[in-house]
């Protein structure tokens, strides 16, 4: 159709000049859509469907083309219009239709095009409604997806916070348990030792086993008695509250000391030292309780961190006197003994290895150090000596990687067990990936004694390890 060809030309002009319409058209609504957006939909629909889904007369096409020209260029100005050929009948008809629109605005021309297309083509309005619903559905989905994404992020953050809280609470409980057990062990060590000497005279090995058993039993009985006493007080408090609530509301306050139901719990933990005196141990001979049970403080936890500059660290160690480089053979355990310094308050250590990991732990031996010099001791897996690595039952009772004292050990080892100072675990022995980064740490002096830095390669059957380490103290 000739009119259709001319109409296609007019749409090319529209695509170039249609944006010159007044920007306020975006604020004018028609069919609940901005007028400019609706006009673009109408033009797109007419261009796609003309001659296919819709068939219009020549006059109707002229009117629609006139509206598009008016919307794109404004009223017709014949002085600026290019001349037409003598045989350009369609061009003349198109100019006549355009001129008939007079001086209507571009917005009015857009609205006239939409109304005429809607009147001539019943499919146009359902087409617009479908597009509008699709757009609304996409917007709704986008909002819903954003809400779900926000909720998922919030839920993940809450989950991570809960995991961190549970982990922190678990660590706190474990630390509190270890501190409490250490404190109980230190307070009862001398009493249990005297009792063990009576039970197994001249047999330090059996004495050490018995002391450890008594300490474990004492801790469990202490906790059971504490929990039972707290439960009894809470039950009594609840009974008083239920029986006297109407007649005397102040009775509960008087019974609990003024702080409600939380006060008995506070009283129980405040009187923890009195509860432990009721432990159900029968000694053949009463030990003096006013001995040196308070000589040793509770060990505070150590600080551990890592550093990435492992090559620089190894160069610094090798540039020293050479004391910081040790070859730890397979099956061996190296113990670096570092006495506390009278001018220091905190010990620092750093270490790394070549190619493979190594086990590491820190212990503290109470008592005045026999020397102020740092010493290195190597224990092989097949040796029977009296070094710290063999004293598992006395020293490493809470270290899962340590073994137990065997009844077949020699009498020289047993004698050493009986005479050695108490030892506390600061860091249990675990394998560290120190061949990838430098492991470092610090610990504040708990008192006078000797730090035992253990580098364990006993689990390795074939590989020796080259160890680089530094130890120093600060004031």
């Amino acid at each position: 159709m000739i009119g259709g060809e001319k109409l296609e030309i007019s749409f090319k002009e529209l695509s170039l000049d249609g944006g010159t319409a007044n920007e306020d058209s975006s604020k004018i609504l028609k069919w609940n859509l901005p007028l400019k957006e609706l006009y673009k939909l109408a033009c797109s629909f007419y261009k796609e469907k003309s001659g296919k889904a819709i068939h219009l007369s020549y006059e109707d096409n002229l009117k629609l083309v006139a509206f598009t020209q008016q919307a794109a260029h404004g009223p017709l100005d014949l002085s600026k219009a290019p001349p037409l050929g003598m045989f350009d009948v369609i061009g003349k008809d198109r100019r006549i239709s355009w001129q008939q629109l007079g001086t209507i605005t571009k917005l009015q021309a857009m609205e006239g095009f939409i109304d005429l297309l809607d009147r001539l083509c019943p499919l146009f309005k359902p087409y617009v409604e479908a597009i509008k619903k699709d757009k609304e559905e996409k917007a709704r989905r986008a909002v819903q997806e954003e809400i779900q994404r926000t909720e998922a992020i919030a839920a993940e953050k809450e989950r991570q916070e809960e995991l961190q809280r549970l982990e922190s609470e678990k660590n706190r409980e474990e630390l509190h348990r270890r501190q409490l057990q250490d404190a109980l062990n230190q307070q009862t060590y001398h009493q249990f030792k005297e009792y063990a000497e009576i039970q197994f005279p001249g047999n330090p090995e059996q004495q050490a086993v018995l002391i450890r058993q008594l300490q474990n039993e004492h801790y469990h009985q202490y906790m059971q008695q504490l929990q039972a006493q707290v439960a009894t007080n809470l039950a009594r408090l609840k009974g008083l509250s239920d029986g006297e609530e109407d007649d005397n509301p102040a009775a509960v306050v008087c019974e609990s000391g003024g702080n409600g139901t939380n006060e008995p719990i506070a009283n129980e933990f405040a009187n923890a030292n009195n509860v432990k005196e009721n432990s159900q141990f029968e000694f053949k001979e009463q030990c003096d309780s006013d001995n040196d049970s308070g000589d040793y403080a509770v060990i505070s936890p150590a600080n551990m961190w890592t550093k990435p500059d492992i090559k620089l660290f190894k160069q610094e160690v090798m540039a020293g006197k050479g004391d910081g480089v040790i070859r730890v053979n397979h099956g061996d355990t190296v113990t670096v003994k570092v006495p506390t310094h009278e001018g220091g308050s905190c010990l620092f250590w750093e270490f790394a290895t070549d190619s493979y990991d190594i086990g590491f732990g820190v212990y503290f031996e109470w008592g005045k150090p026999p020397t102020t010099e740092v010493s290195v001791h190597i224990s092989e897996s097949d040796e029977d000596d009296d070094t710290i690595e063999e004293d598992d039952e006395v020293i490493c009772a809470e270290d899962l990687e340590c073994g137990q004292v065997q009844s077949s050990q020699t009498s020289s080892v047993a004698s050493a067990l009986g005479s050695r100072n108490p030892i506390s675990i600061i860091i249990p022995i675990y394998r560290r990936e120190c061949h990838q980064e430098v492991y470092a740490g610090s610990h504040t002096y708990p008192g006078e004694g000797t730090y035992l830095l253990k580098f364990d390669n006993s689990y390795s059957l074939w590989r020796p390890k080259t160890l680089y380490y530094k130890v120093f103290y600060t004031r």
Side-chain angles (χ1 to χ4, degrees):
M1 183 172 59
I2 299 177
E5 296 175 358
K6 288 295 182 178
L7 186 60
E8 184 177 354
I9 297 175
S10 70
F11 274 106
K12 291 181 180 179
E13 296 174 355
L14 175 64
S15 65
L16 295 173
D17 301 330
T20 61
N22 193 327
E23 294 299 331
D24 292 338
S25 63
S26 61
K27 300 179 182 178
I28 301 175
L29 296 179
K30 187 175 181 64
W31 298 358
N32 294 326
L33 284 174
L35 179 60
K36 189 173 180 180
E37 182 180 348
L38 182 58
Y39 174 69
K40 289 182 178 180
L41 288 176
C43 292
S44 177
F45 174 80
Y46 182 49
K47 184 176 181 181
E48 292 176 3
K49 306 298 182 181
S50 181
K52 300 176 184 177
I54 57 175
H55 300 278
L56 304 178
S57 65
Y58 178 69
E59 290 76 12
D60 292 335
N61 279 325
L62 288 177
K63 291 178 182 178
L64 290 172
V65 171
F67 277 124
T68 60
Q69 294 288 357
Q70 188 85 357
H73 307 291
L76 176 62
D77 187 354
L78 293 175
S79 62
K80 297 181 180 179
L84 296 175
M86 183 179 299
F87 301 102
D88 190 0
V89 179
I90 296 177
K92 291 178 181 180
D93 292 341
R94 193 173 69 170
R95 283 195 178 181
I96 292 172
S97 297
W98 187 0
Q99 192 173 14
Q100 288 175 351
L101 295 179
T103 59
I104 65 173
T105 64
K106 294 181 178 181
L107 297 179
Q108 289 172 338
M110 292 180 185
E111 191 172 3
F113 180 86
I114 295 170
D115 292 338
L116 179 58
L117 184 61
D118 180 41
R119 188 169 64 253
L120 296 175
C121 182
L123 297 177
F124 173 60
K125 192 165 186 178
Y127 168 80
V128 174
E129 292 294 334
I131 291 180
K132 185 169 65 174
K133 287 182 180 179
D134 183 66
K135 182 179 179 181
E136 292 173 353
E137 180 65 17
K138 289 181 179 179
R140 186 189 65 80
R141 289 181 181 177
V143 172
Q144 187 176 2
E145 289 176 359
E146 182 64 26
I147 293 175
Q148 292 176 351
R149 184 162 52 251
T150 303
E151 290 177 351
I153 293 174
E156 179 63 19
K157 182 179 180 181
E158 184 177 355
R159 189 181 72 86
Q160 292 295 336
E161 290 176 352
E162 180 67 13
L163 289 176
Q164 292 178 359
R165 186 188 67 79
L166 292 175
E167 185 67 20
S168 177
E169 183 177 351
K170 181 180 178 182
N171 293 337
R172 266 198 317 273
E173 290 177 355
E174 179 64 17
L175 177 62
H176 179 267
R177 186 193 69 80
R178 286 180 175 273
Q179 290 177 342
L180 178 60
Q181 191 167 9
D182 269 350
L184 292 175
N185 291 346
Q186 292 165 10
Q187 291 171 354
T188 59
Y189 175 76
H190 295 284
Q191 294 177 344
F192 291 160
K193 184 178 180 181
E194 292 180 9
Y195 175 69
E197 289 174 349
I198 296 174
Q199 296 298 314
F200 301 101
N203 192 338
E205 179 183 353
Q206 292 295 330
Q207 292 175 12
V209 175
L210 178 60
I211 290 173
R212 196 60 188 169
Q213 291 176 348
L214 292 174
Q215 287 177 335
N216 289 335
E217 188 176 349
H218 176 256
Y219 170 75
H220 291 302
Q221 289 190 3
Y222 166 75
M223 294 303 298
Q224 291 174 359
Q225 290 179 1
L226 184 62
Q227 293 171 0
Q229 189 167 352
V230 170
T232 301
N233 288 346
L234 286 176
R236 183 171 66 251
L237 181 64
K238 183 178 180 181
L240 290 173
S241 177
D242 293 341
E244 302 179 9
E245 182 176 2
D246 296 334
D247 299 335
N248 186 11
V252 176
V253 177
C254 296
E255 176 69 15
S256 62
N259 288 333
T261 59
N262 292 331
E263 187 64 21
I265 299 176
N267 290 337
E268 294 304 325
F269 284 98
N271 297 326
N273 290 331
N274 295 329
V275 177
K276 72 176 185 295
E277 299 296 334
N278 298 324
S279 301
Q280 302 300 317
F281 289 103
E282 296 182 357
F283 294 96
K284 291 185 177 180
E285 181 175 340
Q286 179 65 32
C287 298
D288 184 12
S289 61
D290 295 328
N291 54 14
D292 298 332
S293 60
D295 290 346
Y296 308 111
V298 176
I299 290 289
S300 60
N303 297 319
M304 288 280 290
W305 64 91
T306 59
K307 302 192 302 183
D309 49 350
I310 187 169
K311 292 184 179 179
L312 179 61
F313 171 76
K314 292 178 180 179
Q315 293 174 358
E316 292 177 353
V317 173
M318 294 178 67
K321 298 180 180 180
D323 297 337
V325 182
I326 301 176
R327 178 182 173 87
V328 185
N329 291 323
H330 59 86
D332 288 357
T333 299
V334 170
T335 301
V336 179
K337 296 186 176 183
V338 186
T340 55
H341 195 279
E342 60 180 5
S345 63
C346 185
L347 177 71
F348 285 80
W349 62 83
E350 298 176 352
F351 67 93
T353 57
D354 286 338
S355 304
Y356 304 104
D357 62 358
I358 198 168
F360 174 73
V362 180
Y363 300 85
F364 188 80
E365 182 177 3
W366 299 87
K368 185 175 180 61
T371 178
T372 59
E373 299 295 328
V374 177
S375 59
V376 178
H377 300 265
I378 300 177
S379 172
E380 297 181 0
S381 58
D382 56 352
E383 287 185 353
D384 285 335
D385 53 22
D386 59 351
T387 59
I388 185 62
E389 289 78 3
E390 299 294 337
D391 301 344
D392 294 336
E393 185 61 38
V394 177
I395 302 165
C396 305
E398 299 189 32
D399 187 356
L400 299 179
E401 297 191 12
C402 292
Q404 295 186 354
V405 176
Q406 303 296 326
S407 58
S408 60
Q409 288 181 320
T410 60
S411 58
S412 61
V413 178
S415 300
L417 284 170
S419 60
R420 179 157 291 126
N421 291 329
I423 296 177
S424 298
I425 300 174
I426 300 175
I427 301 175
I429 296 178
Y430 293 109
R431 293 170 67 170
R432 320 286 174 168
E433 301 292 335
C434 51
H435 61 293
Q436 299 177 353
E437 52 188 352
V438 180
Y439 275 69
S442 66
H443 188 258
T444 303
Y445 287 177
E448 192 175 29
T450 303
Y451 282 95
L452 309 175
L453 278 63
K454 293 170 63 69
F455 298 95
D456 182 15
N457 196 31
S458 60
Y459 57 86
S460 179
L461 298 178
W462 308 106
R463 296 191 181 103
K465 312 291 173 61
T466 301
L467 173 68
Y468 304 80
Y469 76 93
K470 284 183 180 180
V471 288
F472 53 93
Y473 68 91
T474 60
R475 299 179 186 276

